[in-house]
């Protein structure tokens, strides 16, 4: 396994990458959040260039502002409520987390920033031979499943509806592995490979993306990931059927983030 360097990675111009910690040096969420706020203030004051913090977290659930109670862990596992958009998710070993702290032009176009992050990660996945896409109305990077009519019936029964979305009392957290988000690939359903949740304050971005490289995705089964009940989660290693490491993915992520974020013309979309 290639060692991961710590510290700053220089970029030709404009964008720098800071490695906060990986593997045994994984960074507690609260520590990384504090560092985000420090860099955010420095970027707003033009004391530092656009900066992307890259790291792994120890296992932790974080909940965005729109998270509801019926999406949280049933067993009382602690959840950190944060000020980003989106809903609840999990971070942990085997997941590459990136926090791009970037100054955007005014008027701020949040959706355009999300689309740039998606584009960079779609290119990363393509470099590893995994075809991914966007899903309308759902942020992040997705491996698309088979058409509904070609999928195996849930629970061995051929139903005209999916109880996860048609029955308001159905709770996927209570219904075993056949409904577990981590088994979406076996069910040939849409599955999220990279999640995105951001906040923009004073025209500068915070939070960012989580790319599932080789995590234990069963950690997602305790929650309703991103509040989505009829799809699941994936990883590069799982889709490729081989070991993939953070060290292997890291330089590819940096390359495409640099190409997309640094190369983009940061103009708001025309109204």
């Amino acid at each position: 396994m290639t060692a991961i360097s710590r510290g700053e990675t220089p970029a030709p111009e404009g964008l720098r990458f800071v490695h906060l910690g990986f593997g045994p040096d994984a960074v507690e969420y609260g520590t990384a959040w504090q560092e985000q706020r420090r860099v955010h203030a420095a970027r707003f004051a033009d004391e530092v260039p656009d900066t992307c913090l890259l790291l792994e977290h120890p296992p932790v659930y974080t909940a965005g502002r729109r998270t509801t109670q019926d999406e949280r862990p049933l067993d009382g596992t602690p959840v950190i409520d944060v000020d980003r958009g989106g809903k609840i998710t999990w971070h942990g070993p085997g997941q590459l987390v990136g926090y791009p702290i970037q100054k955007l032009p005014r008027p701020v176009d949040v959706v355009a920033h999300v689309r740039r992050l998606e584009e960079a990660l779609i290119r990363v996945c393509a470099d590893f031979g995994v075809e991914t896409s966007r899903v309308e109305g759902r942020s992040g990077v997705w491996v698309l499943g088979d058409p509904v009519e070609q999928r195996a019936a849930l629970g061995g029964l051929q139903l005209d509806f999916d109880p996860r979305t048609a029955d308001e009392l159905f709770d996927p957290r209570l219904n075993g592995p056949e409904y577990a988000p981590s088994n979406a690939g076996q069910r040939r359903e849409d599955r999220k490979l990279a999640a995105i949740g951001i906040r923009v304050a004073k025209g500068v971005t915070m939070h960012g993306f989580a790319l599932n490289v080789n995590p234990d995705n069963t950690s997602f089964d305790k929650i309703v990931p991103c509040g989505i009940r009829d799809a699941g989660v994936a990883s590069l290693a799982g889709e490729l059927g081989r070991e993939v490491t953070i060290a292997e993915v890291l330089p590819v992520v940096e390359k495409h983030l640099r190409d997309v974020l640094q190369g983009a013309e940061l103009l708001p979309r025309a109204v």
Side-chain angles (χ1 to χ4, degrees):
M1 174 178 173
T2 304
I4 300 174
S5 62
R6 299 191 66 183
E8 296 184 13
T9 300
E13 58 181 51
L15 179 64
R16 65 171 181 161
F17 296 96
V18 177
H19 297 175
L20 289 188
F22 303 91
D25 297 318
V27 183
E28 293 289 344
Y29 191 87
T31 301
W33 197 358
Q34 184 177 1
E35 179 64 6
Q36 277 196 76
R37 291 195 290 267
R38 186 191 70 79
V39 177
H40 179 277
R43 182 65 191 98
F44 175 71
D46 290 324
E47 296 170 355
V48 298
D50 289 340
T51 299
C52 183
L53 308 178
L54 294 166
L55 63 147
E56 279 179 281
H57 284 304
V60 62
Y61 292 101
T62 70
R65 293 186 299 263
R66 296 191 298 111
T67 302
T68 58
Q69 189 59 39
D70 62 350
E71 295 161 352
R72 296 169 180 263
L74 287 168
D75 62 1
T77 300
V79 176
I80 297 177
D81 290 280
V82 295
D83 58 355
R84 60 166 169 79
K87 295 200 170 194
I88 191 168
T89 192
W90 172 84
H91 299 306
Q95 185 186 75
L96 177 59
V97 175
Y99 297 129
I101 299 171
Q102 184 177 26
K103 182 171 283 191
L104 300 180
R106 296 182 184 274
V108 169
D109 191 332
V110 177
V111 174
H113 178 65
V114 171
R115 295 292 170 263
R116 286 191 289 270
L117 294 180
E118 289 171 345
E119 176 61 27
L121 296 173
I122 286 170
R123 294 183 189 184
V124 170
C125 295
D127 278 4
F128 283 90
V130 177
E131 183 179 357
T132 56
S133 179
R134 297 179 176 89
V135 171
E136 185 175 356
R138 294 177 171 178
S139 67
V141 174
W142 294 80
V143 178
L144 298 183
D146 295 338
V148 173
E149 62 273 11
Q150 295 179 17
R151 299 177 193 168
L154 287 169
L157 299 174
Q158 189 61 50
L159 302 174
D160 292 332
F161 62 89
D162 185 336
R164 294 170 297 178
T165 56
D167 181 353
E168 64 181 16
L169 298 180
F170 182 87
D171 192 332
R173 301 170 299 173
L174 293 171
N175 282 271
E178 64 193 18
Y179 292 100
S182 61
N183 289 332
Q186 297 176 28
R187 297 191 299 268
R188 305 305 303 162
E189 294 178 341
D190 292 352
R191 47 212 184 268
K192 185 181 286 191
L193 209 158
I196 295 174
I198 69 165
R199 179 189 179 209
V200 180
K202 299 180 179 179
V204 179
T205 66
M206 294 181 71
H207 302 288
F209 66 86
L211 174 64
N212 294 330
V213 177
N214 60 357
D216 178 0
N217 275 344
T218 60
S219 297
F220 288 101
D221 297 344
K222 285 187 174 184
I223 61 174
V224 181
C226 302
I228 298 172
R229 298 177 183 273
D230 61 340
V233 292
S235 69
L236 283 174
E239 294 299 317
L240 292 170
R242 67 171 178 85
E243 179 65 15
V244 184
T245 66
I246 296 288
E248 186 180 354
V249 173
L250 190 58
V252 183
V253 167
E254 289 188 3
K255 174 185 182 299
H256 289 296
L257 285 174
R258 182 179 293 120
D259 289 346
V260 173
L261 297 186
Q262 189 171 279
E265 188 175 4
L266 298 182
L267 297 176
R269 293 168 299 165
V271 177

